[in-house]
Amino acid sequence: MARIAGVNIPTGKRVPIALQYIHGIGPDIARKICEAVKIDSARRVNELSDSEVLAIREHIDANYTVEGDLRREVTMNIKRLMDLGCYRGLRHRKGLPVRGQRTHTNARTRKGPAKAIAGKKK
């Protein structure tokens, strides 16, 4: 079991797919990491040597913000918006959609389950 950026990545999967288990690494960045470290993307994680895993780990640490640091950065950005009191910050504070989606219908993920309104029956 290879451990990179505090995450145990699955051993049976191909390297670019396994790297995507790390928060902050998607398909494109995973492919770029494999190219930079010169690892064939068809290889499996359990076929990697310790030196190759170390090379991947060092490349990620040097070039990308991942896992806890990334989560902290995103949280701080949202907190900054809320402290400023800008429109996006107010939407975050109220738990409403931030990016201009409609709220008359839909938006249930952000607003939570529907609440019944007394005396609204028509």
Side-chain angles (χ1 to χ4, degrees):
M1 177 83 51
R3 190 167 176 82
I4 299 173
V7 177
N8 293 329
I9 61 174
T11 54
K13 295 188 183 285
R14 294 188 304 111
V15 177
I17 304 300
L19 286 175
Q20 292 178 46
Y21 279 70
I22 301 169
H23 180 76
I25 295 181
D28 195 45
I29 291 177
R31 187 180 47 76
K32 287 178 183 175
I33 291 169
C34 288
E35 288 172 2
V37 185
K38 295 180 177 62
I39 292 176
D40 183 30
S41 60
R43 289 180 63 191
R44 307 269 171 181
V45 174
N46 55 8
E47 297 170 358
L48 295 177
S49 66
D50 290 339
S51 61
E52 289 171 326
V53 173
L54 184 65
I56 292 172
R57 189 178 302 131
E58 288 174 351
H59 183 75
I60 290 172
D61 289 341
N63 299 310
Y64 299 102
T65 306
V66 292
E67 279 302 320
D69 294 336
L70 179 62
R71 292 178 205 271
R72 194 173 310 107
E73 188 177 320
V74 169
T75 305
M76 291 304 293
N77 288 340
I78 292 171
K79 187 177 182 322
R80 178 180 52 82
L81 291 171
M82 291 184 347
D83 291 344
L84 282 172
C86 66
Y87 183 76
R88 281 172 57 202
L90 295 176
R91 302 296 284 184
H92 274 292
R93 200 180 299 162
K94 291 178 182 177
L96 294 169
V98 177
R99 297 188 175 180
Q101 297 91 334
R102 66 180 292 142
T103 57
H104 179 71
T105 59
N106 303 334
R108 289 274 53 116
T109 301
R110 196 72 179 133
K111 291 168 75 174
K115 300 168 204 73
I117 300 172
K120 179 144 195 232
K121 193 173 183 182
K122 284 190 176 179

